[in-house]
Amino acid sequence: MIKTSPGGGCIRAYIPFKANGAKSRLSKILNRKERQMLASLMLEDVLISLRSSRLDAITLLSTASDGITEIVKSHGIKCRIDDRDLNTAINSILKEDTDPVMIVMSDLPLLKSSEIDRILEFEEDIVIAPGLGGGTNILLVRSPKSFHVDYHGNSLQDHLNIAKESGLSVRIYHSFLAAVDIDEATDLVELLIHSDGRASSYIRNLGFYLVENDGRVTVKREVENA
Amino acid sequence: MIKTSPGGGCIRAYIPFKANGAKSRLSKILNRKERQMLASLMLEDVLISLRSSRLDAITLLSTASDGITEIVKSHGIKCRIDDRDLNTAINSILKEDTDPVMIVMSDLPLLKSSEIDRILEFEEDIVIAPGLGGGTNILLVRSPKSFHVDYHGNSLQDHLNIAKESGLSVRIYHSFLAAVDIDEATDLVELLIHSDGRASSYIRNLGFYLVENDGRVTVKREVENA
């Protein structure tokens, strides 16, 4: 196994995944089945990038085993089921682990392996790739036992505060491709413009396309919720 | 003068600036005078970054001379007044110039000099740092006479097409800090989170602050349009 951490130790990425009821903010333009499919395909896009990065190991952290068996099998990754809320599940992992841990959100279909490798190169105790709107889309924790997460709202600021309280050094890595998470209809604009992965192809095949309206780009669907 | 272009030639950045009536989409939360001040301060943030980059020269391309005299003087840059629409003004420059030209939008207060230097390192004929929503926030044109611009809506795609038709190589540089342009109220979230420059300080001093609402971060103002 290649040691990718400057401080040594195998680096494992955990990808939290909501197995049911994901992406409810897209319910105006996608039905439940479509939202579930989009979530799975975004997860696969993320997995493909992570697998071609210099990470040592990947674990899918899912709220349930529904619908993930094929993904886990085909990508040859580990799976951990934890139906508790995100913070409890992640903090439980951080308490157990001694090797560096990376937490990568599953709704980052623009992500490329080069972004992951860049994050691994930094030497700070904590590396954060923020999401738009103050989220923490990727988090690298070199010493898991000395940190805990608080994912909600402006979690970037919360994580900076937690690191400061614990005397940990922090690097904020501003990455466009890691910043775009797909939560709302307007986010599909970035998906269609900047990705040709599985999630983007699926959205295209559902009939979504880009339109310009008063100089702004939005998405439309050929046949609305047909 | 330091030659920063792999192909040689002095590289000049042009910053288009709307001297009057800028940022109308912010009219719900900022009055005309505040919008004008924000636009000027964002321009100054951009100028500060550009001046500490490896660029050779900077020209402010303004629609009028109103209110820019001090900025031009204090930053020691050139100024060109052109009251025609953006595309006509830029294409007129591209027809004249033989040395490489960079076009940098004036509403990118998160921009850092390192992003400009990174763009200058690429060897492609055209380098584009896209904005969110398909815009072209930074454009480097190595051979100005062989390219023309079409800024409106999904201009990233339009510029890719124009480059293709002209047989020019293109690099898309995905930069978070160059992608965030400040057009709408929600964009102020990124300004407050990721910048401590002049524009961000101004917005803070106007009483704007970050609030979390159902897990999402938005901005509020202490005293609305007081």
Side-chain angles (χ1 to χ4, degrees):
Chain A
M1 188 171 281
I2 304 158
K3 303 292 179 185
T4 51
S5 165
C10 157
I11 303 189
R12 179 175 292 276
Y14 290 87
I15 311 175
F17 186 69
K18 202 173 170 184
N20 292 297
K23 299 294 149 201
S24 55
R25 285 187 190 133
L26 288 167
S27 57
K28 279 185 189 164
I29 55 164
L30 296 174
N31 65 37
R32 198 194 56 79
K33 202 177 157 187
E34 290 165 345
R35 296 199 301 276
Q36 202 63 47
M37 181 60 83
L38 174 64
S40 295
L41 292 171
M42 291 199 292
L43 170 63
E44 290 214 66
D45 283 339
V46 169
L47 279 172
I48 289 165
S49 295
L50 262 56
R51 286 178 60 201
S52 56
S53 77
R54 290 171 56 241
L55 280 166
D56 297 302
I58 303 169
T59 294
L60 181 62
L61 173 67
S62 183
T63 52
S65 56
D66 311 20
I68 58 162
T69 318
E70 270 310 305
I71 292 176
V72 167
K73 203 173 158 187
S74 67
H75 290 274
I77 57 170
K78 285 201 176 178
C79 181
R80 176 177 172 134
I81 306 293
D82 193 328
D83 64 359
R84 295 175 296 178
D85 71 279
L86 180 62
N87 289 327
T88 308
I90 298 284
N91 285 328
S92 165
I93 288 168
L94 294 177
K95 269 181 203 157
E96 290 168 21
D97 266 316
T98 50
D99 283 338
V101 163
M102 185 184 273
I103 316 294
V104 183
M105 293 297 118
S106 67
D107 59 351
L108 311 177
L110 275 54
L111 189 63
K112 288 187 181 167
S113 58
S114 54
E115 303 302 294
I116 299 295
D117 290 341
R118 188 82 191 88
I119 290 170
L120 293 174
E121 281 169 15
F122 295 119
E123 299 200 352
E124 280 80 1
D125 300 319
I126 304 287
V127 186
I128 299 176
L132 291 166
T136 303
N137 283 359
I138 304 180
L139 171 69
L140 175 62
V141 184
R142 296 218 176 267
S143 305
K145 287 191 199 309
S146 56
F147 191 77
H148 68 276
V149 297
D150 186 359
Y151 281 101
H152 201 63
N154 191 355
S155 64
L156 170 62
Q157 190 56 55
D158 295 332
H159 290 146
L160 292 179
N161 294 342
I162 293 166
K164 197 176 178 184
E165 284 162 16
S166 308
L168 300 171
S169 60
V170 183
R171 162 80 66 156
I172 299 178
Y173 174 54
H174 287 101
S175 159
F176 181 113
L177 298 174
V180 176
D181 38 17
I182 308 298
D183 284 319
E184 312 213 5
T186 53
D187 300 328
L188 297 183
V189 171
E190 309 304 332
L191 181 64
L192 290 180
I193 291 177
H194 297 288
S195 170
D196 54 5
R198 298 185 182 199
S200 178
S201 301
Y202 177 67
I203 289 297
R204 260 174 246 278
N205 289 339
L206 285 180
F208 285 94
Y209 59 100
L210 297 168
V211 285
E212 293 189 20
N213 197 344
D214 193 23
R216 294 190 76 76
V217 180
T218 56
V219 288
K220 272 208 166 182
R221 191 174 182 173
E222 277 164 18
V223 184
E224 296 285 339
N225 285 314
Chain B
M1 189 172 284
I2 303 158
K3 304 289 178 185
T4 50
S5 164
C10 157
I11 303 188
R12 179 175 292 276
Y14 290 86
I15 311 174
F17 186 69
K18 202 173 170 183
N20 292 298
K23 299 293 150 204
S24 55
R25 285 188 189 131
L26 288 167
S27 56
K28 279 184 188 164
I29 55 164
L30 296 174
N31 66 37
R32 198 195 56 81
K33 200 176 158 188
E34 291 165 345
R35 296 199 301 276
Q36 201 63 46
M37 181 60 85
L38 174 63
S40 295
L41 292 171
M42 291 199 292
L43 169 63
E44 289 214 64
D45 283 339
V46 169
L47 280 172
I48 290 165
S49 295
L50 262 54
R51 286 178 60 201
S52 57
S53 78
R54 290 171 57 241
L55 280 166
D56 297 302
I58 302 169
T59 294
L60 181 62
L61 173 67
S62 183
T63 52
S65 56
D66 312 19
I68 59 162
T69 318
E70 269 311 305
I71 292 175
V72 167
K73 202 174 158 186
S74 67
H75 290 275
I77 57 170
K78 285 201 175 179
C79 180
R80 176 177 171 133
I81 306 294
D82 193 329
D83 64 358
R84 295 174 295 177
D85 70 279
L86 180 62
N87 289 326
T88 308
I90 299 284
N91 285 329
S92 164
I93 289 168
L94 294 177
K95 270 183 203 157
E96 290 168 22
D97 265 315
T98 49
D99 283 339
V101 164
M102 185 184 274
I103 316 294
V104 184
M105 294 296 119
S106 67
D107 59 350
L108 312 176
L110 275 55
L111 189 63
K112 288 187 181 168
S113 59
S114 54
E115 303 301 295
I116 299 295
D117 291 340
R118 188 81 190 89
I119 290 170
L120 293 174
E121 280 169 17
F122 295 119
E123 299 201 351
E124 280 81 1
D125 301 318
I126 304 287
V127 186
I128 299 176
L132 291 166
T136 302
N137 282 359
I138 304 180
L139 171 69
L140 174 62
V141 185
R142 296 218 177 269
S143 306
K145 287 193 200 307
S146 57
F147 191 78
H148 67 275
V149 296
D150 186 0
Y151 281 101
H152 201 65
N154 191 354
S155 64
L156 171 63
Q157 190 56 55
D158 295 333
H159 290 146
L160 292 179
N161 294 343
I162 294 166
K164 198 176 177 183
E165 285 162 16
S166 309
L168 300 171
S169 61
V170 183
R171 162 79 67 158
I172 299 177
Y173 175 55
H174 288 100
S175 159
F176 181 113
L177 299 174
V180 176
D181 38 17
I182 307 299
D183 284 318
E184 312 213 6
T186 53
D187 300 327
L188 297 182
V189 171
E190 310 303 334
L191 180 65
L192 290 180
I193 291 177
H194 298 287
S195 170
D196 54 5
R198 298 186 182 198
S200 179
S201 301
Y202 177 66
I203 289 297
R204 261 175 246 276
N205 288 338
L206 285 180
F208 285 95
Y209 59 100
L210 298 168
V211 284
E212 294 189 21
N213 196 344
D214 193 23
R216 294 190 76 78
V217 179
T218 55
V219 289
K220 270 208 168 183
R221 192 172 183 173
E222 277 165 16
V223 183
E224 295 285 340
N225 287 313

